[in-house]
Every structure is written in C-alpha cells, then in structure tokens.
Amino acid sequence: MAEHRLRALVVDWGGVLTEPLDAAIRAWADLDGVEFQHYVDVMRSWLGPHQGELARDNPVAALERGEIEVPHFEEQLAGRLSEAAGHPVSATGLLQRMFDQFEHAPAMAALVLRARRAGLRTGLLSNSWGNEYPREGWDEMFDAIVISGEVGMRKPEPEIFAHVLDLLGVRAEETVFVDDLEHNVDAALGLGIVGVHHTSYDTTAAELETLFGLHLSD
C-alpha cells in the first residue's frame, strides 16, 4: 500500500498552525476601518483571480521571496486600500497589526509533535510576509524549517518544495504536504507529493491518520 511508504509530514503555518486566515484578516480589516472586500480585490489584482496565476505587477510574490522590504509593501498595500476606501489607511505597522490577529492552533501543533515523536520526518513550509514567527517549541516539532523570505523562493514554485524535501532527506512520494490554500496543494500534487487541503483540524487529522496508519489526533 502506498501509504505505508509515507514517512514525512510538511505543513504550512498561516491557516494550518494558526486558526483560519479569513477570520484574522477580517478582524484586522475591522480594526483598520478597511472593507474586507477591498483587501480581497487588491490581492486578486496582484495574485490573479486564482491566486496561483501571478499578475505582472505582484508585490506579494516579491515580499514572500524577500525581494522587497516590509515598509515598501505596506506603502503599496495601504495606498491601494486608501484609494478604495476613500480615506487614509496607515501604512506604518500595517502587517504587524494584521499578524496580531492570528491565533495559534494548538491542536494542529500537537499533532505535528506527535507525528515527529512517532518517527516521521516533519517540516514547516511557509510563505512569509516579513513577519516574526512564534518559534517556541519548533525545535521539538520540526526537522526542517523553510521560510520563503529566508530562501528566496515561495510556494507554489517547485524549487521551494524540492528544497524542503532535500532538507528532510525524503522523496516526493514519501511526503504529505498540508496547506490551507488549494493552489499550493495542487502544486505539491504536481510534483508527486501527497497533498492534503486543510479546512479543519478534525478532517486533516483523520486524513493524516489514514495516510500514515498512525494515531495522531488528541
């Protein structure tokens, strides 16, 4: 059976090891007086209608690869949001205000820790927006940590998947990748990695237990 060959688990951070991003972004938008739909429209204009299809002028990809500084990105995002809202949106500290709304998902973190203790190779693969990550406990959770801005690559680029596989010392077909964004999961599937689209702890835990043949849920 293919699942018995699986020996590595790679997970995203935002939306997997945190609570859903939609709620966090909506909370930030309310605090900053921004219409959530305006934010969505800006992201679509930069990332393309299906997110994986990059628009020509794409500050998000540049930020995630570490090619532009956070203040530069904040100025561009605040400018677009201010234009849509008809009133100023403060650029300074915009991303920090956004990330302050992210809530840790302790059940998923505990699952990853149990997976590693059960003998699986574990990795984190995250697209960074220049944010500081809460890394406490990561040494126990992960064998490899790949942050896009630190390596100059981003999901869904094939190179960043190859990089985390190399660090873990595993092949694509031996690895399960968990992400809350379908286009990232699709990219992993295209490389031969087993993909799991994360929508909730319960569904992801059940799917991982089936794939690995291990008891991983709490």
Side-chain angles (χ1 to χ4, degrees):
M1 297 290 290
E3 58 265 34
H4 296 313
R5 295 188 291 109
L6 296 171
R7 61 189 190 95
L9 172 64
V10 177
V11 299
D12 179 33
W13 181 71
V16 176
L17 294 183
T18 75
E19 297 299 333
L21 297 187
D22 184 76
I25 299 300
R26 287 180 183 275
W28 156 76
D30 286 343
L31 288 172
D32 265 26
V34 170
E35 290 287 338
F36 177 72
Q37 189 58 47
H38 290 165
Y39 171 83
V40 171
D41 291 343
V42 173
M43 290 300 107
R44 284 178 176 166
S45 72
W46 283 344
L47 292 170
H50 304 294
Q51 295 194 47
E53 302 173 7
L54 295 182
R56 179 176 298 177
D57 179 20
N58 183 15
V60 174
L63 177 67
E64 289 178 342
R65 294 194 196 101
E67 296 168 349
I68 62 173
E69 298 294 327
V70 166
H72 184 201
F73 178 82
E74 290 177 321
E75 289 169 4
Q76 294 186 68
L77 179 56
R80 293 287 298 274
L81 293 173
S82 298
E83 181 180 347
H87 62 77
V89 175
S90 177
T92 302
L94 189 157
L95 292 188
Q96 187 58 56
R97 295 194 300 276
M98 183 185 294
F99 284 108
D100 283 345
Q101 307 308 312
F102 283 41
E103 295 186 14
H104 181 55
M108 277 302 301
L111 183 150
V112 175
L113 182 59
R114 284 191 290 272
R116 192 181 188 208
R117 288 175 174 171
L120 299 178
R121 301 284 288 167
T122 57
L124 178 78
L125 180 56
S126 175
N127 281 354
S128 168
W129 277 28
N131 53 297
E132 293 292 330
Y133 287 83
R135 298 180 184 238
E136 184 177 356
W138 281 15
D139 288 343
E140 293 180 73
M141 289 172 60
F142 300 115
D143 295 291
I145 296 169
V146 176
I147 306 296
S148 66
E150 297 175 1
V151 297
M153 301 174 279
R154 65 185 289 274
K155 296 175 294 185
E157 296 167 349
E159 295 82 2
I160 199 166
F161 289 101
H163 182 59
V164 73
L165 293 177
D166 183 60
L167 291 178
L168 290 172
V170 295
R171 299 190 300 274
E173 62 270 21
E174 297 175 316
T175 305
V176 178
F177 171 65
V178 180
D179 200 294
D180 63 313
L181 298 180
E182 285 190 88
H183 68 268
N184 289 333
V185 175
D186 290 342
L189 289 168
L191 299 171
I193 298 169
V194 178
V196 173
H197 179 216
H198 178 75
T199 58
S200 72
Y201 170 79
D202 288 340
T203 57
T204 295
E207 190 164 356
L208 292 178
E209 288 185 335
T210 298
L211 287 167
F212 288 110
L214 296 170
H215 179 69
L216 298 173
S217 58
D218 54 8

Coordinates of all heavy atoms in Angstrom, one line a residue, residues 45-123:
S45 N -6.0 41.4 -7.7 CA -5.3 42.2 -8.7 C -3.8 41.9 -8.8 O -3.2 42.0 -9.8 CB -5.5 43.7 -8.5 OG -4.8 44.2 -7.4
W46 N -3.2 41.5 -7.6 CA -1.8 41.2 -7.5 C -1.5 39.8 -7.8 O -0.5 39.4 -8.4 CB -1.2 41.6 -6.2 CG -1.0 43.1 -6.0 CD1 -0.9 44.0 -7.0 CD2 -0.8 43.8 -4.8 NE1 -0.7 45.3 -6.5 CE2 -0.6 45.2 -5.1 CE3 -0.8 43.4 -3.4 CZ2 -0.4 46.1 -4.1 CZ3 -0.6 44.4 -2.5 CH2 -0.4 45.7 -2.8
L47 N -2.4 38.9 -7.4 CA -2.1 37.4 -7.4 C -2.8 36.8 -8.6 O -2.6 35.6 -8.8 CB -2.5 36.8 -6.1 CG -1.6 37.1 -4.9 CD1 -2.2 36.6 -3.6 CD2 -0.2 36.6 -5.1
G48 N -3.7 37.5 -9.2 CA -4.5 36.8 -10.3 C -5.8 36.2 -9.7 O -5.9 36.0 -8.5
P49 N -6.8 36.0 -10.5 CA -8.1 35.5 -10.0 C -8.0 34.2 -9.3 O -8.9 33.9 -8.4 CB -8.9 35.4 -11.2 CG -8.0 35.3 -12.4 CD -6.8 36.1 -12.0
H50 N -7.0 33.3 -9.6 CA -6.9 32.0 -9.0 C -5.7 31.9 -8.0 O -5.3 30.8 -7.7 CB -6.9 30.9 -10.0 CG -8.1 31.0 -11.0 ND1 -9.3 30.7 -10.5 CD2 -8.1 31.2 -12.3 CE1 -10.2 30.8 -11.6 NE2 -9.4 31.1 -12.6
Q51 N -5.2 33.0 -7.7 CA -4.0 33.2 -6.7 C -2.8 32.5 -7.2 O -1.7 33.1 -7.1 CB -4.4 32.6 -5.4 CG -5.5 33.4 -4.7 CD -5.6 33.0 -3.2 OE1 -4.6 33.0 -2.5 NE2 -6.8 32.7 -2.7
G52 N -2.8 31.4 -7.8 CA -1.6 30.8 -8.3 C -1.1 31.4 -9.6 O 0.0 31.2 -10.0
E53 N -2.0 32.1 -10.3 CA -1.7 32.8 -11.6 C -1.2 34.2 -11.3 O -2.0 35.1 -11.0 CB -2.9 32.8 -12.5 CG -3.4 31.4 -12.8 CD -4.7 31.4 -13.6 OE1 -5.1 32.5 -14.0 OE2 -5.3 30.3 -13.7
L54 N 0.1 34.4 -11.3 CA 0.6 35.7 -10.9 C 0.3 36.8 -11.9 O 0.5 36.7 -13.1 CB 2.1 35.6 -10.7 CG 2.6 34.7 -9.6 CD1 4.1 34.7 -9.5 CD2 2.0 35.1 -8.2
A55 N -0.2 38.0 -11.3 CA -0.3 39.2 -12.2 C 1.1 39.7 -12.4 O 2.1 39.4 -11.7 CB -1.1 40.2 -11.5
R56 N 1.3 40.5 -13.5 CA 2.6 41.0 -13.8 C 3.2 41.9 -12.7 O 4.4 41.7 -12.4 CB 2.5 41.9 -15.1 CG 3.8 42.5 -15.6 CD 3.6 43.2 -16.9 NE 3.2 42.3 -18.0 CZ 2.9 42.6 -19.2 NH1 3.0 43.9 -19.6 NH2 2.5 41.8 -20.1
D57 N 2.4 42.8 -12.2 CA 2.9 43.6 -11.1 C 2.5 43.0 -9.8 O 1.3 43.1 -9.3 CB 2.3 45.0 -11.2 CG 2.8 46.0 -10.1 OD1 3.8 45.7 -9.5 OD2 2.1 47.0 -9.9
N58 N 3.3 42.3 -9.1 CA 2.9 41.5 -8.0 C 3.8 41.7 -6.7 O 4.8 40.9 -6.5 CB 2.9 40.0 -8.4 CG 2.4 39.1 -7.2 OD1 1.8 39.6 -6.3 ND2 2.7 37.8 -7.4
P59 N 3.5 42.7 -5.9 CA 4.3 42.9 -4.7 C 4.3 41.8 -3.7 O 5.2 41.6 -2.9 CB 3.7 44.2 -4.1 CG 2.9 44.8 -5.2 CD 2.5 43.7 -6.1
V60 N 3.2 41.0 -3.7 CA 3.1 39.9 -2.8 C 4.2 38.9 -3.0 O 4.9 38.4 -2.1 CB 1.7 39.2 -2.9 CG1 1.7 37.9 -2.0 CG2 0.6 40.1 -2.5
A61 N 4.4 38.5 -4.3 CA 5.5 37.5 -4.6 C 6.8 38.0 -4.2 O 7.7 37.3 -3.7 CB 5.4 37.1 -6.1
A62 N 7.1 39.3 -4.5 CA 8.3 40.0 -4.1 C 8.5 40.0 -2.6 O 9.6 39.7 -2.1 CB 8.4 41.4 -4.7
L63 N 7.5 40.3 -1.9 CA 7.6 40.3 -0.4 C 7.9 38.9 0.1 O 8.8 38.6 1.0 CB 6.3 40.8 0.2 CG 6.2 40.8 1.7 CD1 7.2 41.8 2.3 CD2 4.8 41.1 2.2
E64 N 7.2 37.9 -0.4 CA 7.3 36.5 0.0 C 8.7 35.9 -0.3 O 9.2 35.1 0.5 CB 6.2 35.6 -0.6 CG 4.9 35.9 0.0 CD 3.7 35.1 -0.6 OE1 3.9 34.5 -1.7 OE2 2.7 35.0 0.1
R65 N 9.3 36.4 -1.3 CA 10.7 36.0 -1.7 C 11.7 36.8 -0.9 O 12.9 36.5 -1.1 CB 10.9 36.0 -3.2 CG 10.1 35.1 -4.0 CD 10.7 35.0 -5.4 NE 9.7 34.4 -6.3 CZ 9.0 35.1 -7.2 NH1 9.1 36.5 -7.2 NH2 8.1 34.5 -8.0
G66 N 11.3 37.8 -0.2 CA 12.3 38.7 0.4 C 13.0 39.7 -0.5 O 14.0 40.2 -0.2
E67 N 12.3 40.0 -1.6 CA 12.9 40.9 -2.6 C 12.6 42.3 -2.3 O 13.3 43.2 -2.9 CB 12.4 40.5 -4.0 CG 12.9 39.1 -4.4 CD 12.2 38.6 -5.7 OE1 11.2 39.2 -6.1 OE2 12.7 37.6 -6.2
I68 N 11.6 42.6 -1.5 CA 11.3 44.0 -1.1 C 11.1 44.0 0.4 O 10.8 43.0 1.0 CB 10.0 44.6 -1.8 CG1 8.8 43.7 -1.4 CG2 10.2 44.6 -3.3 CD1 7.5 44.3 -1.9
E69 N 11.3 45.2 1.0 CA 11.2 45.3 2.4 C 9.8 45.5 2.8 O 8.9 46.0 2.1 CB 12.0 46.5 2.9 CG 13.5 46.4 2.6 CD 14.2 45.3 3.5 OE1 13.7 45.1 4.6 OE2 15.1 44.7 3.0
V70 N 9.5 45.2 4.1 CA 8.1 45.3 4.6 C 7.5 46.7 4.5 O 6.4 46.8 4.0 CB 8.0 44.8 6.1 CG1 6.7 45.2 6.7 CG2 8.2 43.3 6.1
P71 N 8.3 47.7 4.8 CA 7.7 49.1 4.7 C 7.3 49.4 3.3 O 6.3 50.1 3.0 CB 8.8 50.0 5.2 CG 9.6 49.2 6.1 CD 9.6 47.8 5.5
H72 N 8.0 49.0 2.3 CA 7.7 49.2 0.9 C 6.4 48.5 0.5 O 5.5 49.1 -0.1 CB 8.8 48.7 0.0 CG 8.7 49.0 -1.5 ND1 9.3 48.3 -2.5 CD2 7.9 49.9 -2.1 CE1 8.9 48.8 -3.6 NE2 8.1 49.8 -3.4
F73 N 6.2 47.3 0.9 CA 5.0 46.6 0.7 C 3.8 47.3 1.4 O 2.7 47.4 0.8 CB 5.1 45.1 1.1 CG 3.8 44.3 0.9 CD1 3.5 43.8 -0.3 CD2 3.0 44.1 2.0 CE1 2.4 43.0 -0.5 CE2 1.8 43.4 1.8 CZ 1.5 42.9 0.6
E74 N 4.0 47.6 2.6 CA 3.0 48.3 3.4 C 2.5 49.6 2.7 O 1.3 49.9 2.7 CB 3.4 48.6 4.8 CG 3.6 47.3 5.7 CD 4.1 47.6 7.1 OE1 5.0 48.5 7.2 OE2 3.7 46.9 8.0
E75 N 3.4 50.3 2.2 CA 3.1 51.6 1.5 C 2.2 51.3 0.3 O 1.2 52.0 0.0 CB 4.4 52.3 1.1 CG 5.1 52.9 2.2 CD 6.5 53.4 1.8 OE1 6.8 53.4 0.6 OE2 7.2 53.9 2.7
Q76 N 2.6 50.2 -0.5 CA 1.8 49.9 -1.7 C 0.4 49.4 -1.3 O -0.6 49.8 -1.9 CB 2.5 48.8 -2.5 CG 3.8 49.3 -3.1 CD 4.4 48.3 -4.0 OE1 3.9 48.0 -5.1 NE2 5.6 47.7 -3.6
L77 N 0.3 48.5 -0.3 CA -1.0 48.0 0.1 C -1.8 49.1 0.7 O -3.0 49.2 0.4 CB -0.8 46.8 1.1 CG -2.0 46.2 1.7 CD1 -2.9 45.7 0.6 CD2 -1.7 45.1 2.7
A78 N -1.3 49.9 1.6 CA -2.0 51.0 2.2 C -2.5 52.0 1.2 O -3.6 52.5 1.3 CB -1.2 51.7 3.3
G79 N -1.7 52.2 0.2 CA -2.1 53.1 -0.9 C -3.3 52.6 -1.7 O -4.2 53.4 -1.9
R80 N -3.3 51.3 -2.0 CA -4.4 50.7 -2.7 C -5.7 50.7 -1.9 O -6.8 51.0 -2.3 CB -4.0 49.3 -3.2 CG -2.9 49.3 -4.2 CD -3.4 49.7 -5.6 NE -4.5 48.9 -6.1 CZ -4.3 47.7 -6.8 NH1 -3.1 47.3 -7.1 NH2 -5.3 47.0 -7.2
L81 N -5.5 50.4 -0.6 CA -6.7 50.3 0.3 C -7.2 51.7 0.6 O -8.5 51.9 0.6 CB -6.3 49.6 1.6 CG -5.9 48.1 1.5 CD1 -5.4 47.6 2.9 CD2 -7.1 47.3 1.1
S82 N -6.3 52.7 0.7 CA -6.8 54.0 0.9 C -7.6 54.6 -0.3 O -8.6 55.2 -0.1 CB -5.6 55.0 1.2 OG -4.9 54.6 2.4
E83 N -7.1 54.2 -1.4 CA -7.8 54.6 -2.7 C -9.2 54.0 -2.7 O -10.2 54.7 -3.1 CB -7.0 54.2 -3.9 CG -7.6 54.6 -5.2 CD -6.7 54.2 -6.4 OE1 -5.5 53.8 -6.1 OE2 -7.2 54.2 -7.5
A84 N -9.3 52.7 -2.4 CA -10.6 52.1 -2.4 C -11.5 52.6 -1.4 O -12.7 52.7 -1.6 CB -10.4 50.6 -2.3
A85 N -11.0 52.8 -0.2 CA -11.8 53.2 1.0 C -12.2 54.7 0.9 O -13.3 55.0 1.5 CB -11.1 52.9 2.3
G86 N -11.4 55.5 0.3 CA -11.7 56.9 0.3 C -11.3 57.7 1.5 O -11.6 58.8 1.7
H87 N -10.4 57.0 2.3 CA -9.8 57.6 3.5 C -8.5 57.0 3.7 O -8.3 55.8 3.3 CB -10.8 57.5 4.7 CG -11.0 56.1 5.1 ND1 -10.1 55.3 5.8 CD2 -12.1 55.3 5.0 CE1 -10.6 54.1 6.1 NE2 -11.9 54.1 5.5
P88 N -7.6 57.6 4.4 CA -6.2 57.1 4.6 C -6.3 55.8 5.5 O -7.0 55.7 6.5 CB -5.5 58.2 5.4 CG -6.3 59.5 5.1 CD -7.7 59.0 5.0
V89 N -5.4 54.9 5.1 CA -5.1 53.7 5.8 C -3.6 53.7 6.2 O -2.8 53.9 5.3 CB -5.4 52.4 5.1 CG1 -5.0 51.2 5.8 CG2 -6.9 52.3 4.7
S90 N -3.3 53.7 7.4 CA -1.9 53.9 7.9 C -1.0 52.7 7.4 O -1.4 51.5 7.6 CB -1.9 53.9 9.4 OG -0.5 54.0 9.8
A91 N 0.0 53.1 6.7 CA 1.0 52.1 6.2 C 1.9 51.5 7.3 O 2.2 50.4 7.4 CB 1.8 52.7 5.1
T92 N 2.3 52.4 8.2 CA 3.3 52.0 9.2 C 2.7 51.0 10.2 O 1.6 51.2 10.8 CB 3.7 53.3 10.1 OG1 4.2 54.3 9.2 CG2 4.7 52.9 11.1
G93 N 3.3 49.9 10.2 CA 2.9 48.8 11.1 C 1.7 48.0 10.6 O 1.1 47.2 11.4
L94 N 1.3 48.2 9.3 CA 0.1 47.6 8.8 C 0.2 46.0 9.0 O -0.8 45.4 9.5 CB -0.1 48.0 7.4 CG -1.5 47.6 6.7 CD1 -1.7 48.5 5.5 CD2 -1.5 46.1 6.2
L95 N 1.2 45.4 8.5 CA 1.3 44.0 8.6 C 1.4 43.5 10.0 O 0.8 42.4 10.4 CB 2.6 43.5 7.8 CG 2.5 43.7 6.3 CD1 3.7 43.0 5.6 CD2 1.2 43.1 5.8
Q96 N 2.0 44.2 10.9 CA 2.1 43.8 12.3 C 0.7 43.8 12.9 O 0.3 42.9 13.7 CB 3.0 44.7 13.2 CG 3.2 44.2 14.6 CD 3.7 42.8 14.6 OE1 4.8 42.5 14.1 NE2 3.0 41.9 15.3
R97 N -0.1 44.8 12.6 CA -1.5 44.9 13.0 C -2.3 43.7 12.5 O -3.1 43.1 13.2 CB -2.2 46.2 12.6 CG -1.6 47.5 13.2 CD -2.4 48.7 13.0 NE -2.7 49.0 11.6 CZ -1.9 49.8 10.9 NH1 -0.8 50.2 11.4 NH2 -2.3 50.0 9.6
M98 N -2.0 43.3 11.3 CA -2.7 42.2 10.7 C -2.3 40.9 11.4 O -3.1 40.1 11.8 CB -2.3 42.1 9.2 CG -3.0 40.9 8.5 SD -2.4 40.8 6.7 CE -3.0 42.4 6.1
F99 N -1.0 40.7 11.6 CA -0.5 39.4 12.2 C -0.8 39.3 13.7 O -0.9 38.2 14.3 CB 1.0 39.2 12.0 CG 1.3 38.8 10.6 CD1 1.9 39.7 9.7 CD2 1.0 37.5 10.2 CE1 2.2 39.3 8.4 CE2 1.3 37.1 8.9 CZ 1.9 38.0 8.0
D100 N -1.1 40.5 14.3 CA -1.5 40.4 15.7 C -2.9 39.7 15.9 O -3.2 39.3 17.0 CB -1.7 41.9 16.3 CG -0.3 42.5 16.6 OD1 0.7 41.8 16.7 OD2 -0.3 43.7 16.8
Q101 N -3.6 39.6 14.8 CA -4.9 39.0 14.8 C -4.9 37.4 14.6 O -5.9 36.7 14.8 CB -5.9 39.6 13.8 CG -6.0 41.1 13.8 CD -6.3 41.6 15.2 OE1 -7.2 41.1 15.9 NE2 -5.6 42.6 15.7
F102 N -3.7 36.9 14.3 CA -3.5 35.5 14.0 C -3.6 34.8 15.4 O -2.9 35.2 16.3 CB -2.2 35.2 13.3 CG -2.2 35.5 11.8 CD1 -2.8 36.6 11.4 CD2 -1.6 34.7 11.0 CE1 -2.8 36.9 10.0 CE2 -1.6 34.9 9.6 CZ -2.2 36.1 9.1
E103 N -4.3 33.7 15.4 CA -4.4 32.9 16.7 C -3.8 31.5 16.4 O -4.1 30.9 15.4 CB -5.9 32.8 17.1 CG -6.6 34.1 17.5 CD -8.0 33.9 18.0 OE1 -8.3 32.7 18.3 OE2 -8.7 34.9 18.1
H104 N -3.0 31.1 17.4 CA -2.4 29.8 17.4 C -3.4 28.7 17.4 O -4.4 28.8 18.0 CB -1.5 29.7 18.6 CG -0.7 28.4 18.7 ND1 0.1 28.0 17.7 CD2 -0.6 27.5 19.7 CE1 0.7 26.8 18.0 NE2 0.2 26.5 19.2
A105 N -3.1 27.6 16.6 CA -4.0 26.4 16.6 C -3.2 25.3 17.3 O -2.5 24.5 16.7 CB -4.3 26.0 15.1
P106 N -3.4 25.2 18.6 CA -2.6 24.3 19.4 C -2.8 22.8 19.1 O -1.9 22.0 19.2 CB -3.0 24.6 20.9 CG -4.3 25.3 20.8 CD -4.3 26.1 19.5
A107 N -4.0 22.5 18.6 CA -4.3 21.1 18.3 C -3.5 20.6 17.1 O -2.9 19.5 17.1 CB -5.8 20.9 18.0
M108 N -3.3 21.5 16.1 CA -2.5 21.1 14.9 C -1.0 21.0 15.3 O -0.3 20.2 14.8 CB -2.7 22.1 13.8 CG -3.9 21.8 12.9 SD -3.9 20.2 12.2 CE -2.4 20.2 11.2
A109 N -0.6 22.0 16.1 CA 0.8 21.9 16.6 C 1.1 20.6 17.3 O 2.1 20.0 17.1 CB 1.1 23.1 17.4
A110 N 0.2 20.2 18.2 CA 0.3 19.0 19.0 C 0.4 17.8 18.0 O 1.1 16.8 18.3 CB -0.8 18.9 20.0
L111 N -0.4 17.8 17.0 CA -0.5 16.7 16.0 C 0.9 16.6 15.3 O 1.4 15.5 15.2 CB -1.5 17.0 15.0 CG -1.8 15.8 13.9 CD1 -3.2 15.8 13.5 CD2 -0.8 16.0 12.7
V112 N 1.5 17.7 14.9 CA 2.8 17.6 14.3 C 3.8 17.1 15.3 O 4.7 16.3 14.9 CB 3.2 19.0 13.8 CG1 4.7 19.0 13.2 CG2 2.3 19.5 12.7
L113 N 3.8 17.5 16.5 CA 4.7 17.0 17.5 C 4.5 15.5 17.7 O 5.5 14.7 17.8 CB 4.5 17.7 18.8 CG 5.4 17.4 20.0 CD1 6.9 17.6 19.6 CD2 5.1 18.2 21.2
R114 N 3.3 15.0 17.7 CA 3.1 13.6 17.9 C 3.6 12.8 16.6 O 4.1 11.7 16.8 CB 1.6 13.3 18.1 CG 1.1 13.6 19.5 CD -0.3 13.1 19.7 NE -1.3 13.8 18.9 CZ -2.0 14.9 19.3 NH1 -1.7 15.4 20.5 NH2 -2.8 15.5 18.5
A115 N 3.4 13.4 15.5 CA 3.9 12.8 14.3 C 5.4 12.6 14.3 O 6.0 11.6 14.0 CB 3.5 13.6 13.0
R116 N 6.1 13.6 14.8 CA 7.6 13.5 14.8 C 8.0 12.5 15.9 O 8.9 11.7 15.7 CB 8.2 14.9 15.2 CG 9.7 14.9 15.0 CD 10.4 16.2 15.3 NE 11.8 16.2 14.9 CZ 12.7 16.9 15.5 NH1 12.4 17.7 16.5 NH2 13.9 16.9 15.1
R117 N 7.3 12.5 17.0 CA 7.7 11.5 18.1 C 7.3 10.1 17.6 O 7.9 9.1 18.1 CB 6.9 11.9 19.3 CG 7.5 13.1 20.0 CD 6.6 13.6 21.2 NE 7.3 14.7 21.9 CZ 6.7 15.4 22.9 NH1 5.5 15.0 23.3 NH2 7.3 16.4 23.5
A118 N 6.4 10.0 16.7 CA 6.1 8.6 16.1 C 7.1 8.2 15.1 O 7.0 7.0 14.6 CB 4.7 8.7 15.5
G119 N 8.1 9.0 14.8 CA 9.1 8.6 13.8 C 9.1 9.2 12.5 O 9.9 8.9 11.6
L120 N 8.1 10.1 12.2 CA 8.0 10.8 10.9 C 9.0 11.9 10.8 O 9.3 12.6 11.9 CB 6.6 11.3 10.7 CG 5.5 10.3 10.6 CD1 4.1 11.0 10.4 CD2 5.7 9.3 9.5
R121 N 9.5 12.2 9.7 CA 10.2 13.4 9.4 C 9.2 14.6 9.3 O 8.2 14.4 8.6 CB 11.1 13.3 8.1 CG 12.1 12.2 8.2 CD 13.3 12.5 9.0 NE 14.1 13.5 8.4 CZ 15.1 14.2 9.0 NH1 15.3 13.9 10.3 NH2 15.9 15.0 8.3
T122 N 9.5 15.7 9.9 CA 8.5 16.8 9.9 C 9.2 18.1 9.4 O 10.3 18.4 9.8 CB 7.9 17.0 11.2 OG1 8.9 17.3 12.2 CG2 7.0 15.8 11.7
G123 N 8.4 18.9 8.7 CA 8.9 20.1 8.2 C 7.9 21.2 8.1 O 6.7 20.9 8.0

